[in-house]
Amino acid sequence: QDNIPSLVLFKKQVKAGTVFKKSVKVVFEGKSLKLIPYDILAIGENVEAVLYNGMYYILNRRAFDSMFHYKEGFKKIVEGGKEEILRSGMLSNAERFINDCMGDGRYLPRLAKALYSGCFKEVAKKIINITKIKERHNIALELSEDGIIQYKGAESIPEILNIFLDHYVVSPMTDRAMLAKAIESYEAGKNG
């Protein structure tokens, strides 16, 4: 049928290992083997993303980000939210914290997510609760007397990002303090 939209699959090219490059490459042609004298494009088995009817469906976010160099997109989001973090007064050495996150591929997407989702703004409004959260969840961050998070180095980035992403929760059923892993999945299911 002519009116069926095309489906585009994206797969990251796998860099051929040294052993593969030095090996003899052959293909079956009928019942005999034929030598392949040229380089081969290696593609792994799983698809990173699908483009269908103008919508991207990302199946492997890290590989997709890497494939399209989306790190620059995350940097733009963080650059755009930098003043918001500085103005919030939530943390000492905020500029250093931002730079450390921007320099580390593990933390840059999480900081961008906190800013882009609006989660950071909501947390900043309730920062007065930080002392209670620190005690309840046994968070190893140092706070000043007025409740400002003391940023001393990269080792505290994961806990600060968990705060910015509002991942510290208390179960209403068991009153147990937890680090939430599935908040976004729950919210998406609830709203969808």
Side-chain angles (χ1 to χ4, degrees), residues 87-139:
R87 278 195 317 268
S88 75
M90 289 172 59
L91 106 133
S92 71
N93 297 314
E95 185 106 27
R96 182 174 157 212
F97 167 78
I98 294 165
N99 291 336
D100 287 351
C101 285
M102 288 181 73
D104 192 313
R106 295 170 297 173
Y107 304 132
L108 175 62
R110 293 187 72 210
L111 181 56
K113 182 184 199 178
L115 292 165
Y116 189 75
S117 68
C119 200
F120 176 81
K121 276 184 186 165
E122 294 303 312
V123 168
K125 289 178 194 173
K126 304 283 186 177
I127 197 58
I128 195 160
N129 294 325
I130 189 70
T131 304
K132 181 171 52 173
I133 292 164
K134 179 186 177 336
E135 289 169 8
R136 179 90 194 237
H137 292 273
N138 199 22
I139 300 170

Coordinates of all heavy atoms in Angstrom, one line a residue, residues 87-139:
R87 N 21.0 30.9 41.3 CA 20.1 31.8 42.0 C 19.4 31.0 43.2 O 19.0 31.7 44.1 CB 19.0 32.4 41.1 CG 19.5 33.6 40.3 CD 18.3 34.3 39.7 NE 17.3 33.4 39.1 CZ 17.3 33.0 37.8 NH1 18.3 33.4 37.0 NH2 16.4 32.2 37.4
S88 N 19.2 29.7 43.0 CA 18.5 29.0 44.0 C 19.1 29.0 45.4 O 18.4 28.9 46.4 CB 18.3 27.5 43.6 OG 19.5 26.8 43.8
G89 N 20.4 29.2 45.4 CA 21.1 29.2 46.7 C 21.1 27.9 47.5 O 21.4 27.8 48.7
M90 N 20.8 26.8 46.8 CA 20.7 25.5 47.4 C 22.0 24.9 47.7 O 22.1 24.0 48.6 CB 19.9 24.5 46.5 CG 18.4 24.8 46.3 SD 17.6 23.8 45.1 CE 17.9 22.2 45.6
L91 N 23.1 25.3 47.0 CA 24.3 24.6 47.2 C 25.5 25.6 47.1 O 25.5 26.5 46.3 CB 24.4 23.4 46.3 CG 25.1 23.2 45.1 CD1 25.7 21.8 45.3 CD2 24.2 23.0 43.9
S92 N 26.5 25.3 47.9 CA 27.8 26.1 47.8 C 28.5 25.5 46.6 O 28.3 24.4 46.2 CB 28.6 25.9 49.1 OG 29.1 24.6 49.2
N93 N 29.4 26.3 46.1 CA 30.3 26.0 45.0 C 29.4 25.4 43.8 O 29.8 24.5 43.1 CB 31.3 24.9 45.4 CG 32.3 25.4 46.4 OD1 32.8 26.5 46.3 ND2 32.5 24.6 47.5
A94 N 28.3 26.1 43.6 CA 27.3 25.6 42.5 C 28.0 25.6 41.2 O 27.7 24.7 40.4 CB 26.1 26.5 42.5
E95 N 28.8 26.6 40.9 CA 29.5 26.7 39.6 C 30.4 25.5 39.4 O 30.4 24.9 38.3 CB 30.3 28.0 39.5 CG 30.9 28.2 38.1 CD 30.2 29.3 37.4 OE1 29.6 30.2 37.9 OE2 30.3 29.2 36.1
R96 N 31.1 25.1 40.4 CA 32.0 23.9 40.3 C 31.2 22.7 40.1 O 31.5 21.8 39.4 CB 32.8 23.8 41.6 CG 33.8 22.7 41.6 CD 34.7 22.7 42.8 NE 35.2 21.4 43.0 CZ 35.5 20.9 44.2 NH1 35.3 21.7 45.3 NH2 36.0 19.7 44.4
F97 N 30.0 22.6 40.9 CA 29.1 21.4 40.8 C 28.7 21.3 39.3 O 28.7 20.2 38.7 CB 28.0 21.6 41.7 CG 26.8 20.6 41.4 CD1 26.9 19.3 41.8 CD2 25.7 21.0 40.7 CE1 25.9 18.4 41.6 CE2 24.7 20.2 40.5 CZ 24.7 18.8 40.9
I98 N 28.2 22.4 38.7 CA 27.7 22.4 37.3 C 28.8 21.9 36.4 O 28.6 21.1 35.5 CB 27.1 23.8 37.0 CG1 25.9 24.1 37.8 CG2 26.8 23.8 35.5 CD1 25.5 25.5 37.8
N99 N 30.0 22.5 36.5 CA 31.1 22.1 35.7 C 31.5 20.7 35.8 O 31.8 20.0 34.8 CB 32.3 23.1 35.9 CG 32.1 24.5 35.5 OD1 31.3 24.7 34.6 ND2 32.8 25.4 36.1
D100 N 31.5 20.2 37.0 CA 31.8 18.8 37.3 C 30.8 17.9 36.6 O 31.1 16.8 36.0 CB 31.9 18.4 38.8 CG 33.2 19.0 39.4 OD1 34.1 19.5 38.7 OD2 33.3 19.0 40.7
C101 N 29.5 18.2 36.7 CA 28.5 17.4 36.0 C 28.6 17.5 34.5 O 28.4 16.5 33.8 CB 27.1 18.0 36.4 SG 26.6 17.5 38.1
M102 N 28.9 18.7 34.0 CA 29.0 18.8 32.5 C 30.2 18.1 32.0 O 30.2 17.6 30.8 CB 29.1 20.3 32.1 CG 27.8 21.0 32.3 SD 27.8 22.7 31.8 CE 27.9 22.6 30.1
G103 N 31.2 17.8 32.8 CA 32.4 17.1 32.4 C 32.3 15.6 32.5 O 33.2 14.9 32.2
D104 N 31.2 15.1 33.0 CA 31.0 13.7 33.3 C 29.8 13.1 32.6 O 28.7 13.6 32.9 CB 31.0 13.4 34.8 CG 31.1 11.9 35.1 OD1 30.4 11.1 34.5 OD2 31.9 11.6 36.1
G105 N 30.0 12.2 31.7 CA 28.8 11.7 30.9 C 27.8 11.0 31.7 O 26.7 10.8 31.2
R106 N 28.1 10.6 32.9 CA 27.1 9.9 33.8 C 26.2 10.9 34.4 O 25.0 10.6 34.6 CB 27.8 9.1 34.9 CG 28.6 8.0 34.5 CD 29.5 7.4 35.6 NE 30.4 8.5 36.1 CZ 31.1 8.4 37.2 NH1 31.1 7.3 37.9 NH2 32.0 9.4 37.5
Y107 N 26.7 12.1 34.7 CA 25.9 13.1 35.5 C 25.3 14.2 34.6 O 24.2 14.7 35.0 CB 26.8 13.7 36.5 CG 27.4 12.7 37.4 CD1 28.8 12.8 37.7 CD2 26.7 11.7 38.0 CE1 29.4 11.9 38.6 CE2 27.3 10.8 38.8 CZ 28.6 10.9 39.1 OH 29.2 9.9 39.9
L108 N 25.9 14.5 33.5 CA 25.3 15.5 32.6 C 23.8 15.3 32.2 O 23.0 16.1 32.4 CB 26.2 15.7 31.3 CG 25.7 16.7 30.3 CD1 25.6 18.1 30.8 CD2 26.6 16.6 29.1
P109 N 23.5 14.0 31.7 CA 22.1 13.8 31.4 C 21.1 13.9 32.6 O 20.0 14.4 32.4 CB 22.1 12.4 30.8 CG 23.5 12.1 30.5 CD 24.3 12.9 31.4
R110 N 21.6 13.5 33.7 CA 20.7 13.6 34.9 C 20.5 15.0 35.4 O 19.4 15.4 35.8 CB 21.3 12.8 36.1 CG 21.4 11.3 35.8 CD 21.8 10.4 37.0 NE 20.8 10.4 38.0 CZ 21.0 10.4 39.3 NH1 22.2 10.3 39.8 NH2 20.0 10.4 40.1
L111 N 21.5 15.9 35.3 CA 21.3 17.3 35.6 C 20.4 17.9 34.6 O 19.5 18.7 35.0 CB 22.7 18.0 35.7 CG 22.6 19.5 36.1 CD1 21.8 19.7 37.5 CD2 24.0 20.1 36.2
A112 N 20.6 17.6 33.3 CA 19.7 18.2 32.3 C 18.3 17.7 32.5 O 17.4 18.5 32.4 CB 20.2 17.7 30.9
K113 N 18.1 16.5 32.9 CA 16.8 16.0 33.2 C 16.1 16.7 34.3 O 14.9 17.0 34.3 CB 16.9 14.5 33.5 CG 15.6 13.8 33.7 CD 16.0 12.3 34.1 CE 14.9 11.3 34.0 NZ 15.4 10.0 34.3
A114 N 16.9 17.0 35.4 CA 16.3 17.7 36.6 C 15.8 19.1 36.1 O 14.8 19.5 36.6 CB 17.3 17.8 37.7
L115 N 16.6 19.7 35.3 CA 16.3 21.1 34.9 C 15.1 21.1 33.8 O 14.2 21.8 34.0 CB 17.5 21.8 34.2 CG 18.6 22.1 35.2 CD1 19.9 22.4 34.5 CD2 18.2 23.2 36.1
Y116 N 15.2 20.2 32.9 CA 14.3 20.2 31.8 C 12.9 19.7 32.2 O 11.9 20.2 31.8 CB 14.8 19.2 30.7 CG 13.9 19.3 29.4 CD1 14.0 20.4 28.5 CD2 13.0 18.3 29.1 CE1 13.3 20.5 27.4 CE2 12.3 18.4 27.9 CZ 12.4 19.4 27.1 OH 11.6 19.5 25.9
S117 N 12.8 18.8 33.2 CA 11.5 18.3 33.6 C 10.8 19.2 34.6 O 9.6 19.0 34.9 CB 11.8 16.9 34.4 OG 12.5 17.2 35.6
G118 N 11.5 20.2 35.1 CA 10.9 21.2 36.0 C 11.1 20.7 37.5 O 10.7 21.3 38.4
C119 N 11.6 19.5 37.6 CA 11.8 18.9 38.9 C 12.7 19.8 39.8 O 12.4 20.0 41.0 CB 12.4 17.5 38.8 SG 12.1 16.5 40.2
F120 N 13.7 20.3 39.3 CA 14.6 21.2 40.1 C 13.9 22.4 40.7 O 14.1 22.7 41.8 CB 15.8 21.6 39.2 CG 16.7 22.6 40.0 CD1 17.7 22.1 40.8 CD2 16.6 24.0 39.8 CE1 18.5 23.0 41.6 CE2 17.4 24.8 40.5 CZ 18.3 24.3 41.4
K121 N 13.0 23.0 39.9 CA 12.2 24.2 40.4 C 11.4 23.8 41.5 O 11.3 24.5 42.5 CB 11.3 24.7 39.2 CG 12.0 25.6 38.3 CD 11.0 26.1 37.3 CE 11.7 27.0 36.3 NZ 11.0 27.3 35.1
E122 N 10.7 22.6 41.4 CA 9.8 22.2 42.5 C 10.6 21.9 43.8 O 10.2 22.2 44.9 CB 9.0 20.9 42.1 CG 8.0 21.2 41.0 CD 7.1 22.3 41.4 OE1 6.5 22.3 42.5 OE2 6.9 23.2 40.6
V123 N 11.8 21.2 43.6 CA 12.7 20.9 44.8 C 13.2 22.2 45.4 O 13.2 22.3 46.6 CB 13.8 20.0 44.4 CG1 14.9 19.9 45.5 CG2 13.3 18.6 44.0
A124 N 13.6 23.2 44.6 CA 14.1 24.5 45.1 C 13.1 25.2 45.9 O 13.4 25.8 46.9 CB 14.5 25.3 43.9
K125 N 11.8 25.0 45.6 CA 10.7 25.7 46.4 C 10.6 25.1 47.8 O 10.1 25.7 48.7 CB 9.4 25.5 45.7 CG 9.2 26.3 44.4 CD 7.8 26.0 43.8 CE 7.7 26.5 42.4 NZ 6.4 26.1 41.8
K126 N 11.0 23.8 47.9 CA 10.8 23.1 49.2 C 12.2 22.7 49.8 O 12.2 21.8 50.7 CB 10.1 21.7 48.9 CG 8.8 21.9 48.2 CD 7.7 22.3 49.2 CE 6.3 22.3 48.5 NZ 5.3 22.7 49.4
I127 N 13.2 23.5 49.5 CA 14.5 23.2 50.0 C 14.6 23.2 51.5 O 15.5 22.7 52.1 CB 15.6 24.0 49.3 CG1 17.0 23.4 49.5 CG2 15.5 25.5 49.8 CD1 17.2 22.0 49.0
I128 N 13.7 23.9 52.1 CA 13.6 24.0 53.6 C 13.5 22.6 54.2 O 13.9 22.4 55.4 CB 12.5 24.9 54.0 CG1 12.6 25.3 55.5 CG2 11.1 24.2 53.8 CD1 11.8 26.5 55.9
N129 N 13.1 21.6 53.4 CA 12.9 20.2 53.9 C 14.2 19.4 53.9 O 14.3 18.3 54.3 CB 11.9 19.5 53.1 CG 10.5 20.1 53.3 OD1 10.2 20.5 54.4 ND2 9.7 20.0 52.3
I130 N 15.3 20.0 53.4 CA 16.6 19.3 53.2 C 17.1 18.6 54.4 O 17.6 17.5 54.4 CB 17.6 20.2 52.5 CG1 18.8 19.3 52.0 CG2 18.1 21.3 53.3 CD1 18.5 18.4 50.9
T131 N 17.0 19.3 55.6 CA 17.6 18.8 56.8 C 16.8 17.5 57.2 O 17.4 16.5 57.6 CB 17.5 19.8 58.0 OG1 18.2 21.0 57.5 CG2 18.2 19.3 59.2
K132 N 15.5 17.6 57.1 CA 14.6 16.4 57.4 C 14.9 15.3 56.5 O 15.0 14.1 56.9 CB 13.2 16.9 57.3 CG 12.2 15.8 57.7 CD 10.7 16.4 57.7 CE 10.4 17.2 56.5 NZ 9.0 17.6 56.4
I133 N 15.1 15.6 55.2 CA 15.4 14.5 54.2 C 16.7 13.9 54.5 O 16.9 12.7 54.4 CB 15.3 15.1 52.8 CG1 13.8 15.4 52.5 CG2 15.8 14.1 51.7 CD1 13.6 16.4 51.3
K134 N 17.7 14.7 54.8 CA 19.1 14.2 55.1 C 19.0 13.2 56.2 O 19.6 12.2 56.2 CB 20.0 15.4 55.4 CG 21.4 15.0 55.7 CD 22.2 16.2 56.1 CE 23.6 15.9 56.5 NZ 24.1 14.7 57.0
E135 N 18.3 13.6 57.3 CA 18.3 12.7 58.5 C 17.5 11.5 58.2 O 17.9 10.4 58.5 CB 17.7 13.5 59.6 CG 18.6 14.6 60.2 CD 17.9 15.5 61.2 OE1 16.7 15.2 61.5 OE2 18.5 16.5 61.5
R136 N 16.3 11.6 57.5 CA 15.4 10.5 57.3 C 16.1 9.4 56.4 O 15.9 8.2 56.5 CB 14.1 11.0 56.7 CG 13.1 9.9 56.3 CD 12.2 9.7 57.5 NE 11.5 8.5 57.4 CZ 10.2 8.5 57.5 NH1 9.5 9.6 57.6 NH2 9.5 7.3 57.4
H137 N 16.8 9.9 55.4 CA 17.4 9.0 54.4 C 18.9 8.7 54.6 O 19.5 8.0 53.8 CB 17.2 9.6 53.0 CG 15.8 9.6 52.6 ND1 15.2 8.5 51.9 CD2 14.8 10.5 52.7 CE1 13.9 8.8 51.7 NE2 13.7 10.0 52.1
N138 N 19.4 9.3 55.7 CA 20.8 9.0 56.1 C 21.7 9.4 54.9 O 22.7 8.7 54.6 CB 21.0 7.6 56.5 CG 22.3 7.4 57.3 OD1 22.8 8.3 57.9 ND2 22.8 6.2 57.3
I139 N 21.5 10.6 54.4 CA 22.3 11.1 53.3 C 23.6 11.7 53.8 O 23.6 12.5 54.8 CB 21.5 12.2 52.5 CG1 20.2 11.6 51.9 CG2 22.4 12.8 51.3 CD1 19.3 12.6 51.3

